[in-house]
Amino acid sequence: MFVPKILTACVLSSMFVLGGCQSIQFNQAKTPSVESASVQLNAANMMQHLQAFEKIAKDNGGNRAVGTKGGLASAKYIIDEAKKAGLQAQMLPFENREKVVGQNIFVEIAGQTNESVVLIGAHYDSVKMGPGINDNASGVALLLDLMHQLKAERTQPKHTIVLAFWDSEETGIAGSQDYVKKLSPEQLKGIKAYINVDMVGTKNPDVMIADATKSSVDDMEKMLKERGMAESDYKPLLDGMRSVPTHAGDIALENMLSAFFKDKKVTLKKDVSTLTASDTAPFLGKVPVTSIIMFNEKMNGDELEFAPCYHKACDTIEQVDPKSLQLAGDAVVYLLKNIQ
Ligand SMILES: [Zn+2]
């Protein structure tokens, strides 16, 4: 049985000044500053993680939801992987709106400075209806491979990198919300970027990134006007999207991702609404935020399905294309290299 180690405070303490908190030191050799150009993620490794998560779901009633055996086994898997990499995982428990206790997990890769941090997050819980392999073991697998690759590097990244494995995204985006709520203004200031990775294994994906300039809302308005739709019918929706908080640093991240995907000849969809529907939501307007999501939307009867088998029992490894994982992984590495 897995008994989570409970840390009630001091998470991320090494890069934030926290009175009374003990700094956590990782035994990473300080090496000269060199661009970590050789970090290369590997989709085959990510697929192995997905196989492990699929087995965890299979062995635990078909899902990996917050507070379930499958959820705890998923947490244990992440912690064991950190151990294998020679890193320490920290857990921070919280309670969601259903009074279920979840566990956020953090793994830190020390950078040349511990005063600035790039936070990369993916939720590891699934819905109760399925194993959640694309949504979002795919994002977790990307983070795990990144963790191993960064640890294997001989050079330190510029900023300290914190990998955040959120729990209870599927129930109220509770894990990331709890974490952000507890950050001080100084800690928020130290976060150079929050990069959210959610559903990145989708086959034939429409790659969606955060639309910081909200130009997609203007485009949508123009299209709806041209179609003759009454303004009163679409205005509340567009106003809602326009009121999504932004940070001055969002646009630089969006531009980096745009440049990366342009180089890969991938057409992007820029989207505002997805930002409020994942672990980006609590960070909006507080720190520079960006996100990578891969959808493949189609109407399923009256219902819009974001990707095949979305939130269903069939969200298995069958739904995942390693090429999508590789593309998302390369995009995250590109961001890490370019964030100043
Ligand atoms: Zn989901």
Side-chain angles (χ1 to χ4, degrees), residues 18 32 38 45 54 56-57 62 75 88 103 114 124 164 174 176 198 202 241 247 258 274-275 280 290 318 330:
L18 274 180
S38 59
N45 297 341
E54 186 150 301
I56 285 171
Q88 197 179 325
Q103 303 283 346
N114 61 11
Y124 73 88
S176 51
D198 195 354
T202 311
M241 287 197 236
H247 185 281
S258 296
T274 55
L275 288 171
T280 32
T290 198
E318 293 296 308
D330 291 348

Side-chain angles (χ1 to χ4, degrees), residues 123 125-127 132 134-136 169-170 198-199 277-278 306 310-311 315:
H123 75 86
D125 64 311
S126 74
V127 289
N134 189 25
D135 180 13
N136 181 35
E169 188 268 356
E170 300 289 8
D198 195 354
M199 297 175 68
S278 185
F306 296 124
Y310 173 76
H311 284 187
D315 182 9

